[in-house]
Amino acid sequence: MAYKCVVLIKQVPDTKRITGDVMNDDGTVKRSALPAIFNPEDLNALETALEIKDRFGGHITVITMGLPAAAAILRESLYRGADDAILITDRRCAASDTLATSYILSRAVKKLDYDIVLCGRQAIDGDTAQVGPQLAEKLGITQITYVEQLIELSGNRITAQRNIGNGWQQVKAELPVLLTVIGEANEPRVAAAKKMMKYKKASTPIEISEKIKAENPKADAAEIAELIKLRSKSLEEKGLLIKQWSLDHVEADLSWCGMSGSPTKVHRIQSVVLAAKESKDVEPTPDGIADMIHELIEEKTIA
Ligand SMILES: Cc1cc2nc3c(=O)[nH]c(=O)nc-3n(C[C@H](O)[C@H](O)[C@H](O)COP(=O)(O)OP(=O)(O)OC[C@H]3O[C@@H](n4cnc5c(N)ncnc54)[C@H](O)[C@@H]3O)c2cc1C
């Protein structure tokens, strides 16, 4: 049986590169000062979907909700083997907390035919790990979180192994199911050169419009509109038009989106600076290292 997978992916600032220079005075991060990357565990979710497709066949749709620039991770997914990509972008999504985000994503997923929905466990910027479980609830489907291994997939039954911190648990469920996948689950494959050649021109309508305007600075509005129509048609015929959905496309109730759909209020932001209080020199010898390990175990720093 071939499986239809939907993978939710998020473009995030590379929080590993946070230094004093990218912090605002109020403790928030200047997002534009950091490179935007594919959320790491979403790559693991995509890899899980690709492994399912390799074994059983099927179809993979990737969805992201974000700014127009998030099209970059959709293209990256196509380079790795996804079949279809959807960008949800709409000014009315701004200020969405996890509840509003999962609502909007659920409206998009409900437009598709799917067997398995895959999310990363956690995004490295928001870091809540709430969106996957909230999405499963809104879709009314079973969820298996913290998935580290897919044990079996047969007919409409799935068995997955969850990491529960100090051990593991194997869970059986019926499809449709939502999985949240952890970093240890697999080693994401790299982009395939052939697919990069095929999809490097894949674009969203916003990107097409910006490119046409830049290429034709003297054209009037009607000419620009005609050029956009022609370019979009040509890309669509080649399978290179990335779908772009607004809140109207997904028929979202606006009171559940953006600020009005977001009950989370940030009460206070605290900057935590980790500074070493004391340091200790360790002899770079087997005995020195053994002593250090012994000390760390005694202090219960490591077990
Ligand atoms: C207290 C608080 C206040 C916030 N306030 C604002 C605000 O005012 N304005 C604002 O813009 N943002 C705000 N955010 C950020 C916003 O809520 C999150 O970016 C978003 O809801 C996703 O949550 P997360 O990053 O914790 O994702 P997680 O729940 O950690 O993500 C889990 C998985 O869900 C999927 N996923 C998550 N987000 C997306 C997405 N956008 N598209 C596709 N898949 C996705 C991915 O598979 C991801 O791995 C706030 C967050 C918090 C915690």
Side-chain angles (χ1 to χ4, degrees):
M1 174 176 167
Y3 295 94
K4 291 178 279 301
C5 295
V6 178
V7 188
L8 282 309
I9 60 172
K10 185 181 181 191
Q11 193 181 45
V12 291
D14 189 354
T15 49
K16 272 203 256 114
R17 301 204 191 184
I18 290 185
T19 58
D21 300 346
V22 301
M23 299 303 288
N24 292 314
D25 292 341
D26 64 0
T28 56
V29 175
K30 287 180 209 153
R31 285 178 170 248
S32 55
L34 287 168
I37 59 165
F38 205 125
N39 182 51
E41 287 185 330
D42 299 354
L43 282 173
N44 301 104
L46 176 61
E47 179 59 31
T48 305
L50 290 167
E51 286 168 5
I52 291 171
K53 189 175 129 182
D54 290 346
R55 279 175 62 194
F56 304 99
H59 186 272
I60 300 175
T61 304
V62 285
I63 303 181
T64 190
M65 171 182 130
L67 296 171
I73 58 167
L74 295 175
R75 266 186 296 277
E76 221 178 302
S77 304
L78 295 168
Y79 299 159
R80 287 165 195 256
D83 301 288
D84 207 0
I86 302 170
L87 169 70
I88 305 169
T89 193
D90 193 311
R91 282 177 199 280
R92 295 167 294 177
C93 294
S96 293
D97 68 5
T98 60
L99 203 62
T101 301
S102 58
Y103 168 70
I104 297 165
L105 294 176
S106 75
R107 296 300 308 167
V109 176
K110 280 180 182 173
K111 294 263 165 212
L112 305 171
D113 192 13
Y114 62 88
D115 301 302
I116 305 171
V117 179
L118 299 105
C119 291
R121 168 196 43 178
Q122 194 159 338
I124 57 169
D125 57 343
D127 250 350
T128 64
Q130 292 173 357
V131 171
Q134 288 174 343
L135 178 58
E137 191 180 322
K138 290 185 172 68
L139 294 173
I141 63 174
T142 309
Q143 57 182 283
I144 308 179
T145 54
Y146 293 84
V147 169
E148 63 180 8
Q149 200 185 339
L150 202 63
I151 305 287
E152 204 185 341
L153 188 55
S154 169
N156 75 336
R157 292 197 68 79
I158 187 168
T159 307
Q161 183 163 305
R162 310 177 64 223
N163 184 316
I164 52 171
N166 52 357
W168 51 261
Q169 189 179 45
Q170 288 190 356
V171 180
K172 290 183 182 185
E174 274 187 17
L175 304 184
V177 71
L178 182 143
L179 311 178
T180 78
V181 180
I182 64 171
E184 292 74 20
N186 49 42
E187 191 62 48
R189 70 194 63 188
V190 294
K194 264 191 176 172
K195 290 191 193 297
M196 280 175 89
M197 294 308 291
K198 178 174 173 194
Y199 287 113
K200 67 180 180 194
K201 289 197 175 145
S203 310
T204 59
I206 291 185
E207 290 176 319
I208 296 169
S209 158
E210 278 170 1
K211 195 148 187 254
I212 297 275
K213 283 178 192 161
E215 287 168 357
N216 303 278
K218 291 188 181 143
D220 63 25
E223 286 166 334
I224 293 283
E226 185 56 26
L227 287 168
I228 291 174
K229 210 169 124 190
L230 287 173
R231 181 79 57 90
S232 303
K233 191 163 177 275
S234 145
L235 286 177
E236 192 172 15
E237 281 165 3
K238 294 178 195 148
L240 297 177
L241 185 65
I242 295 178
K243 295 186 182 81
Q244 185 182 307
W245 289 357
S246 67
L247 291 179
D248 302 321
H249 275 88
V250 300
E251 298 175 276
D253 177 339
L254 296 183
S255 66
W256 285 81
C257 306
M259 188 78 85
S260 55
S262 301
T264 313
K265 298 282 171 278
V266 180
H267 172 59
R268 194 162 60 94
I269 294 175
Q270 189 180 6
S271 284
V272 179
V273 181
L274 298 173
K277 281 200 182 135
E278 57 179 60
S279 63
K280 194 169 182 174
D281 290 328
V282 175
E283 278 293 313
T285 59
D287 282 350
I289 291 165
D291 286 349
M292 179 188 71
I293 291 172
H294 186 68
E295 202 173 311
L296 290 172
I297 291 172
E298 291 240 299
E299 287 172 358
K300 298 200 166 38
T301 308
I302 58 173

